[in-house]
Amino acid sequence: EYGILTIFAIMFDVITWDWVPALRGARKSSWICSALTCESLRFGGFYHSFRDIYTVTPAEAWLALVKERIK
């Protein structure tokens, strides 16, 4: 379960430019679910060049998987 500050930090990361530092909670030992899924896929052999795997949205991960399956 995400706290309200985590939700706002994720929202801020999604709507800001890429040069703005991410507020993904690097001081904590937790990941957002889509980052954990992408890292698990990468460990299993699926590689996609995301600009930052720790801020990937579920939609971006899905599009990467669909594009890879079409190849």
Side-chain angles (χ1 to χ4, degrees):
E1 181 173 309
Y2 294 125
I4 191 73
L5 291 177
T6 302
I7 293 170
F8 281 124
I10 293 169
M11 182 182 70
F12 181 78
D13 287 342
V14 169
I15 63 173
T16 56
W17 298 280
D18 290 341
W19 55 267
V20 175
L23 300 174
R24 61 181 165 266
R27 297 176 304 281
K28 296 188 235 172
S29 59
S30 64
W31 293 23
I32 60 172
C33 57
S34 54
L36 181 61
T37 301
C38 288
E39 185 64 26
S40 300
L41 288 168
R42 186 165 66 166
F43 183 77
F46 173 76
Y47 180 76
H48 183 76
S49 58
F50 295 111
R51 70 180 176 262
D52 184 359
I53 197 168
Y54 302 104
T55 58
V56 173
T57 64
E60 290 172 329
W62 175 252
L63 287 175
L65 283 169
V66 169
K67 286 180 184 177
E68 183 64 28
R69 189 177 67 167
I70 292 173
K71 286 183 180 179

